[in-house]
Amino acid sequence: MTKNKPIIIAHRGAQSIYPEHTMQGYKKAVQLGADYIEPDLVMTKDGVLIARHEPFISTTTNVSTLPQYANRKTTKLLDGVAVTDWFVSDFTLRELKTLRARQSWANRTHEYDDLFEIPTFEEILAFAKAHKTTAGNPVGVYPELKHPTYHKELGLPMEDHFLKMINEADYNSKESSIYVQCFEVATLQYLRSKSDIKLIQLLGAAGITNDGNLLFTKEDGSYDPEGQPYDFIKNKDKRSYQFFTTKEGMEFMASYADAVGPWKPFIISVTSEGVLTPVTNFVALAHSYNLEVHPYTFRNEDTKWVTNTNHIDEYLRFFEAGVDGVFSDYTNEAVAARSKFLKSH
C-alpha cells in the first residue's frame, strides 16, 4: 500500500465547538480543514435516515424538556441491553424537527444548546455535494449505519434505503468521496454485494486491563456488546473483535471491506499508570491485506494517551505508526498535527 496523506475525519462534526450532528458543526469542521464529515445514521418511525449518535436521544437533544413528548419515554432492548429513554424510532421526522440539539459533553461550551435542528442524511449529502474542502476537494462523507440489527427488528431495515440515497447522490464507486462504516459484519457484506463504495469495519472492545491489554468480554467472562459484533451474537458466532486482529481476521475483512476503524488501543494502548504501550502490529498487518486503518476517537479530554497535555504529540504517534486517517472531535488540532507530520516527512 502506498503511503498517503492521512485523512482527517470530523467525528460527528466540529463536536468540540457545536453540538454533535448539526449542520453548523459539519460546516465548521470543513472550514477547519476536515476531509470528511461523519454522520451517524439512525432511522425515524417513518423511515427517514437522520444523524444521531444513538437511537436514543435524551443526551443530545432537548426532548426531555418538552411536555408533549413526555409519554414517549420507554424501554427498549438495544443490542441485548435494556435502555430507558426517548427513541428516534418512536418519532416521525416532522416531530424530530421540533427538537433542538444539545452538547453532550459537560465540559464543552453549551452556548449553542437548543438552537439547531437534527439534520437528515439527505441534507448532509446535499451540503457535501455543494461544497469543497479547504484543499479544494469534494467534501467527503463518512456515514455510520448504527445498530442495523436493532433497526431491522423494529421493521426499519436501513441498508436498501441507504443504498438508494447514495446512488441517487452519485456516491456509487470506489472513487466516490465516501466511506461507509459499521460495527456489524453482515451489513457491510450486504453493501459490498450491491455496491463498490469504500467500506470500513469498525472494531471495539469492552475495556483495557491495568497492563494495557484489550478486553472483549466483561471481567467475569460474560457478553459485552462493545466486544463483539451484535450480528455475530444473534447468530451465535463466538468470534469477538479480537478475531479481526489476526491474519485470518484481516483476510476475512479484506473479503468485503476496504478499511478498518479500530479503537485506538488496538494500535497504541496505555496502562492504568498512564504508560503508553509499544505500537502493535495491527497497522502493518492490515496494510499487508490492503486495508486502510482509521482509528477512533481523538479528543482533548482523553488525556491517557498524551504527556503534558500536548495533544499534537498523540496524533503524531499514530501518524508515525502508519495510520491512514483519524477520527477527531478537535478538527483544528488534527489538521495542525497532520501538517507538522507531513513537513517532517
Side-chain angles (χ1 to χ4, degrees), residues 107-146:
N107 63 305
R108 297 178 182 176
T109 181
H110 287 261
E111 63 182 307
Y112 303 109
D113 283 2
D114 300 350
L115 295 180
F116 306 136
E117 286 186 358
I118 296 173
T120 66
F121 187 42
E122 184 177 17
E123 290 167 340
I124 295 164
L125 289 175
F127 164 75
K129 297 286 284 186
H131 293 81
K132 299 286 188 183
T133 66
T134 55
N137 299 316
V139 171
V141 287
Y142 208 120
E144 179 184 349
L145 295 181
K146 301 288 293 193

Side-chain angles (χ1 to χ4, degrees), residues 247-267:
K247 288 183 178 181
E248 183 184 5
M250 291 285 183
E251 184 177 13
F252 173 67
M253 272 192 292
S255 70
Y256 61 88
D258 303 278
V260 54
W263 185 30
K264 290 187 298 186
F266 279 83
I267 300 168

Side-chain angles (χ1 to χ4, degrees), residues 77-113:
L77 279 180
L78 181 60
D79 292 0
V81 178
V83 177
T84 300
D85 210 291
W86 287 261
F87 290 84
V88 169
S89 58
D90 291 330
F91 291 79
T92 65
L93 176 63
R94 186 172 183 177
E95 290 171 330
L96 288 162
K97 283 293 189 179
T98 68
L99 307 183
R100 293 296 179 265
R102 287 186 170 179
Q103 175 61 258
S104 60
W105 287 75
N107 63 305
R108 297 178 182 176
T109 181
H110 287 261
E111 63 182 307
Y112 303 109
D113 283 2

Side-chain angles (χ1 to χ4, degrees), residues 26 32-33 36 65-66 75 138 164 166 184 186 212 244 257 259 278 284 287 299 315 323 331 340:
Y26 298 133
L32 292 173
Y36 285 79
T65 70
L66 301 177
T75 300
K164 182 175 183 291
I166 61 171
E184 295 187 28
F244 295 87
H287 284 173
R299 49 172 65 105
Y315 292 98
V323 304
T331 304
K340 185 174 182 178

Side-chain angles (χ1 to χ4, degrees), residues 31-336:
Q31 293 168 2
L32 292 173
D35 303 297
Y36 285 79
I37 54 175
E38 190 235 12
D40 294 319
L41 301 180
V42 296
M43 192 166 265
T44 69
K45 182 179 182 179
D46 48 345
V48 179
L49 290 171
I50 66 160
R52 287 292 90 189
H53 178 55
E54 291 289 357
F56 53 89
I57 52 176
S58 67
T59 57
T60 62
T61 74
N62 64 343
V63 67
S64 65
T65 70
L66 301 177
Q68 66 268 38
Y69 299 131
N71 65 349
R72 302 287 179 93
K73 190 175 186 180
T74 187
T75 300
K76 294 185 191 294
L77 279 180
L78 181 60
D79 292 0
V81 178
V83 177
T84 300
D85 210 291
W86 287 261
F87 290 84
V88 169
S89 58
D90 291 330
F91 291 79
T92 65
L93 176 63
R94 186 172 183 177
E95 290 171 330
L96 288 162
K97 283 293 189 179
T98 68
L99 307 183
R100 293 296 179 265
R102 287 186 170 179
Q103 175 61 258
S104 60
W105 287 75
N107 63 305
R108 297 178 182 176
T109 181
H110 287 261
E111 63 182 307
Y112 303 109
D113 283 2
D114 300 350
L115 295 180
F116 306 136
E117 286 186 358
I118 296 173
T120 66
F121 187 42
E122 184 177 17
E123 290 167 340
I124 295 164
L125 289 175
F127 164 75
K129 297 286 284 186
H131 293 81
K132 299 286 188 183
T133 66
T134 55
N137 299 316
V139 171
V141 287
Y142 208 120
E144 179 184 349
L145 295 181
K146 301 288 293 193
H147 306 284
T149 295
Y150 159 85
H151 281 95
K152 192 171 296 181
E153 290 174 344
L154 289 175
L156 295 169
M158 310 171 80
E159 292 88 346
D160 285 333
H161 181 58
F162 174 80
L163 285 167
K164 182 175 183 291
M165 291 188 70
I166 61 171
N167 283 331
E168 289 176 351
D170 293 326
Y171 291 99
N172 49 21
S173 74
K174 192 81 75 178
E175 289 70 42
S176 299
S177 53
I178 186 171
Y179 286 87
V180 182
Q181 52 178 329
C182 192
F183 280 101
E184 295 187 28
V185 174
T187 288
L188 293 171
Q189 291 175 322
Y190 180 78
L191 295 177
R192 172 55 68 233
S193 74
K194 302 289 185 180
S195 176
D196 291 329
I197 53 171
K198 296 184 290 290
L199 302 178
I200 179 163
Q201 175 68 60
L202 297 172
L203 305 182
I208 312 175
T209 65
N210 287 340
D211 56 4
N213 292 323
L214 287 166
L215 292 167
F216 296 94
T217 62
K218 295 187 186 300
E219 290 188 4
D220 63 2
S222 61
Y223 158 71
D224 189 305
E226 300 293 331
Q228 190 173 6
Y230 187 63
D231 56 318
F232 279 18
I233 292 289
K234 293 290 287 186
N235 294 327
K236 296 182 169 49
D237 186 327
K238 296 187 182 301
R239 291 176 294 177
S240 72
Y241 287 120
Q242 187 174 27
F243 164 73
F244 295 87
T245 68
T246 66
K247 288 183 178 181
E248 183 184 5
M250 291 285 183
E251 184 177 13
F252 173 67
M253 272 192 292
S255 70
Y256 61 88
D258 303 278
V260 54
W263 185 30
K264 290 187 298 186
F266 279 83
I267 300 168
I268 301 173
S269 192
V270 62
T271 70
S272 59
E273 296 179 348
V275 177
L276 295 172
T277 63
V279 177
T280 68
N281 73 336
F282 186 94
V283 175
L285 189 57
H287 284 173
S288 73
Y289 287 93
N290 291 317
L291 292 165
E292 296 177 32
V293 181
H294 304 161
Y296 67 88
T297 302
F298 292 75
R299 49 172 65 105
N300 289 4
E301 292 85 358
D302 200 359
T303 56
K304 291 180 180 179
W305 273 265
V306 301
T307 53
N308 301 321
T309 66
N310 186 345
H311 299 281
I312 298 294
D313 283 351
E314 179 188 7
Y315 292 98
L316 293 177
R317 286 191 194 97
F318 281 82
F319 292 154
E320 293 288 353
V323 304
D324 305 285
V326 291
F327 290 84
S328 177
D329 286 7
Y330 288 77
T331 304
N332 52 333
E333 295 207 2
V335 170

